[in-house]
Amino acid sequence: MKKVILLGRPNVGKSSLFNRLARARIAITSEVAGTTRDVNKTEINIDDRECLLIDSGGLDESSKLFAAVQKRSLAEANEADIIIFMVDGKLYADEIDKKLFYAINRLGKPTALVVNKVDGKRDEERAKDFISFGAKKLFEISVSHNSGTDELCEWIYSHLEPAKPSIDESIEDFLADFDESLLESDEGNSRFKSNIDYENKAIKVGIIGRVNVGKSSLLNALVGQNRSVVSDIAGTTIDPVNEKISVNDGSKEREIEFVDTAGIRRRGKIEGIEKYALNRTQKMLEKADIAVLVLDSVEGINELDERIAGLASEFELGVIIVLNKWDLKAQEYQDFDKEFDRMSREIRDRFKFLAYAPIISLSATSKKRVEKLKELICAVYKNYTIKLPTSRLNEVIAAATKAHPIPREHGRAVRIYYAAQFDTAAPKIALVMNKPKCLHFSYLRYLQNQLRASFELGGTPVVLVPRGRGKSKEENNE
């Protein structure tokens, strides 16, 4: 696993970027220069590739303590494979930063110069001053506004080792038995990894969110009784609270099992018994079908909401985003639609990994639009457990690759021979091809978008798994 280190002088935002890339609040951040005095390390994934991310102390020799911190940071840099040298975009380039950057460059490792805190036009003009450093790769970002980090992640991704494909026996068995003649019919997806009767099982829905956003009130509104204790005291709910109801999804009666989970606090504020509650929440999500992510529309969205949203994404669940307390929000704005559109754009910008999740506004206390949420749960579950017609699936993939061919690898064509769905909940599709390791994550995202445009897949992730043909070991090893 390659090591990626964040270097720079104190207070340039290294720890904030570390937390952003790790999608967790691991490193302590503050405006006090020199807050980070040791080295933080965590394993992260950038799409399908892994690396060890290292947050170092600031490069500063102004005191004996800081000199020791700098020595440790430079020692870690010497062991790292990829270096990100950060500077403060609120300040003009100076000779100290330039000398440090030149010294780091002499290590002969892939090095990017990252200008942080570029929050506006003036900062953009000032950032141009860093071109004088002569960096091969320069990125202007704002960690606090989460802008520019996607391009930085793509650069890091290009220097990481391709993921070693894990051998999933169920996929291999499926492909080994797959009859390509069935591509002309709808029988090709009749055999799946899971033999669960999704048509008749209860839909398991986890209600998640930070403390005091109204999860317990929402559970009570959904089931029509005071099933969960509600109070203004943050952290009232500790144990997950289960309740089942029956609803009509338009064709039949369905059973929905709701679980109200403990509210999640910032990592540093989780104390005593709440640590067990967080662990139980994660175990519940492992068994859930759909996560209802509850946000406080009055307080707005914060970094902790992003971390909690990441849990739903991590477990590959169907997701619905709920803007609760909309009755209180509506008191502030006359144009409700305009404010809903504004908050929806903010959610889409901050939760890019949940672009597929529908957003609904409601009031748990007044029960307004709660019935609409029940309908949405049934619709998302239908998409989450969908079995795509094999022939139509391959038509969409073929049309997509024809419209935008897969980039060649060292002059050789990369081809997808056929697509085969091997599981549901969430829909999982094997892309059988000649060079599975050469399919870039950005092209996978393009294919996912094409599938969403052709099928009803709202609310569910779509998992695409590039695979080599079972017939040729050489192709699998390429």
Side-chain angles (χ1 to χ4, degrees), residues 37-309:
R37 296 178 181 179
D38 209 320
V39 171
N40 277 316
K41 300 180 181 181
T42 188
E43 294 181 11
I44 68 168
N45 287 81
I46 298 181
D47 288 284
D48 60 340
R49 299 183 184 182
E50 297 178 331
C51 66
L52 182 67
L53 185 65
I54 303 169
D55 177 28
S56 66
L59 302 179
D60 184 4
E61 295 182 317
S62 60
S63 70
K64 189 173 183 180
L65 172 61
F66 288 167
V69 171
Q70 174 171 303
K71 184 178 180 181
R72 172 72 191 278
S73 297
L74 292 174
E76 287 288 342
N78 201 48
E79 297 297 320
D81 302 291
I82 301 164
I83 298 174
I84 296 172
F85 186 85
M86 296 183 67
V87 293
D88 191 337
K90 299 293 183 188
L91 305 174
Y92 284 101
D94 63 23
E95 287 302 310
I96 297 176
D97 276 327
K98 190 177 285 189
K99 287 180 180 177
L100 285 170
F101 179 73
Y102 288 166
I104 297 301
N105 243 349
R106 283 196 288 273
L107 293 175
K109 301 177 180 184
T111 303
L113 176 62
V114 173
V115 185
N116 188 27
K117 306 181 187 179
V118 181
D119 304 321
K121 292 289 184 184
R122 289 186 179 180
D123 300 330
E124 290 174 9
E125 290 298 320
R126 195 163 38 241
K128 299 294 184 287
D129 199 39
F130 290 94
I131 294 175
S132 63
F133 282 35
K136 292 181 179 178
K137 277 292 177 182
L138 187 149
F139 298 93
E140 296 175 17
I141 72 169
S142 170
V143 176
S144 61
H145 290 86
N146 195 23
S147 64
T149 52
D150 284 351
E151 291 79 5
L152 176 60
C153 285
E154 288 193 9
W155 178 80
I156 297 172
Y157 180 95
S158 69
H159 291 282
L160 299 180
E161 295 293 337
K164 293 180 180 179
S166 58
I167 303 301
D168 187 329
E169 291 181 1
S170 60
I171 303 177
E172 296 298 340
D173 290 344
F174 180 91
L175 296 178
D177 296 345
F178 191 81
D179 183 351
E180 292 187 42
S181 66
L182 294 178
L183 294 176
E184 301 304 320
S185 71
D186 290 346
E187 300 174 20
N189 61 359
S190 60
R191 180 176 176 273
F192 287 87
K193 175 183 170 183
S194 301
N195 295 315
I196 298 172
D197 182 8
Y198 289 108
E199 281 292 319
N200 296 303
K201 73 176 285 290
I203 305 172
K204 292 191 175 182
V205 179
I207 303 173
I208 62 173
R210 55 187 165 90
V211 295
N212 245 21
V213 294
K215 299 184 302 301
S216 297
S217 297
L218 180 57
L219 175 64
N220 290 342
L222 286 163
V223 302
Q225 58 177 297
N226 293 329
R227 177 63 180 85
S228 192
V229 177
V230 177
S231 83
D232 292 332
I233 301 173
T236 300
T237 303
I238 295 296
D239 292 306
V241 180
N242 296 59
E243 188 67 25
K244 292 182 180 181
I245 64 169
S246 290
V247 298
N248 192 303
D249 68 356
S251 60
K252 59 181 291 187
E253 285 291 315
R254 294 218 66 118
E255 193 174 62
I256 302 178
E257 180 181 352
F258 293 103
V259 184
D260 172 24
T261 62
I264 300 174
R265 297 176 184 265
R266 281 186 166 81
R267 188 178 296 270
K269 293 187 178 180
I270 298 176
E271 299 176 353
I273 198 169
E274 285 189 82
K275 291 183 179 179
Y276 295 100
L278 175 60
N279 184 51
R280 288 185 180 182
T281 296
Q282 292 172 324
K283 287 186 179 300
M284 179 279 297
L285 289 176
E286 290 178 3
K287 300 176 181 178
D289 300 304
I290 296 173
V292 172
L293 172 63
V294 184
L295 305 175
D296 189 323
S297 62
V298 177
E299 289 187 8
I301 307 162
N302 63 27
E303 187 178 335
L304 183 57
D305 290 318
E306 293 182 46
R307 186 162 70 86
I308 297 168

